[in-house]
Amino acid sequence: MDLKQLNYFVQIVEHMSFSKAAHKLHISQPSLSNAIKNLESELGFQLLERSTRTIKLTEAGNVLHGRALHLLLEMDIVEKEMKEVKLIGNGELEIGMIESVKQWIPKVIVHYNEEFPNMKIKLMEVLSGEDVKSSLRKYETHAIITNQPIHESDIETVPLYNENLVLVVHKSHPLANKKSIELKELENDSFIITSEGFQTRDDVLKTFQFEQATPLIKYEISRFETALSLVRENLGIALIPESYLEGSQDNEMIHKKIDSPSLNRTVYLTYMKNRYLSPAVLGFIEGTKEYFKVNK
């Protein structure tokens, strides 16, 4: 049994078709069928139940599939780490982030580019806690900036800064001219909130619960940009991270702080503890920490 055989087997299971797997692998279907027969003969177990229409995993096949996925992922990680051993200042830096970092991440990159001008930088949104852990462990990203509190033994989680969630209303809204606002005053307004799975949604709902209030959820969104566009048309109100609004000058909207200690969150920098980090990757991590005076 070797990695090539395991890869063939995994591709068949993924596509549930010998013909589709063969096409993906760029080999003939008879060659693929023979490879799987040889693997089954070597192991002494039938791995797949074949019929004219369907393919099903046997019990042995199900066990092997789980192990094979793990082994192939580990091999992929080893190959990536070996490539990155030589990565000093040329290559690709893959960073996951939340939407609200848009105001400061370019400033970190400006300094980073001075030291590593030839690095290609890939920025992608990684939002839920499960996505953060999966992305880091599969080596899809080198580091992720998140508002998810990640507590895992293999992931380093560095607090960068705290920020408030602030109320955003249209300039004509009755709350726009109030100096002090309590959360209960928001109960009867059309409320805009992020979709399920977003940490901001959990933070907001926990705060309402803490204040013994209930929001009237009218709109669910996946981007703060969408929330602001709805507020701009006076369709609802929203609680938005303060850092996202920095530098924003929209005369149609008013930002207000709410009198609640619960509307505060922490933003973290996360990365794998035991992963080899090249000088170029470490340069970004240390540069981000330095920007927020971490460990000083």
Side-chain angles (χ1 to χ4, degrees), residues 10 16 59 64 70 92 122 125 147 151 153 168 189 208 234 266 280 284:
V10 166
M16 279 299 164
E59 183 178 356
L64 181 63
H70 178 73
E92 187 171 80
K122 184 177 181 181
E125 287 194 351
N147 62 326
H151 303 292
S153 61
V168 183
D189 275 288
F208 270 97
N234 202 17
T266 302
F284 176 82

Side-chain angles (χ1 to χ4, degrees), residues 147 165 199-207 262-263 265:
N147 62 326
L165 297 176
Q199 185 64 36
T200 303
R201 178 190 180 96
D202 294 341
D203 293 341
V204 168
L205 292 180
K206 284 178 183 176
T207 300
S262 300
L263 286 175
R265 71 177 191 175

Side-chain angles (χ1 to χ4, degrees), residues 35-103:
I36 297 304
K37 286 179 182 177
N38 290 338
L39 178 60
E40 289 177 323
S41 176
E42 183 180 340
L43 294 174
F45 293 105
Q46 183 179 355
L47 301 172
L48 299 166
E49 293 180 358
R50 309 164 181 83
S51 69
T52 54
R53 293 186 178 182
T54 62
I55 296 174
K56 292 183 180 180
L57 283 170
T58 64
E59 183 178 356
N62 191 53
V63 172
L64 181 63
H65 181 247
R67 294 294 187 181
L69 284 175
H70 178 73
L71 287 170
L72 291 172
L73 176 59
E74 286 296 312
M75 191 61 194
D76 184 51
I77 287 172
V78 169
E79 289 178 357
K80 287 181 178 179
E81 286 197 333
M82 290 302 98
K83 289 178 181 178
E84 291 186 354
V85 166
K86 298 183 293 184
L87 183 60
I88 298 173
N90 295 280
E92 187 171 80
L93 175 69
E94 296 169 315
I95 302 299
M97 62 182 190
I98 50 177
E99 188 184 358
S100 64
V101 307
K102 69 168 190 173
Q103 299 295 351

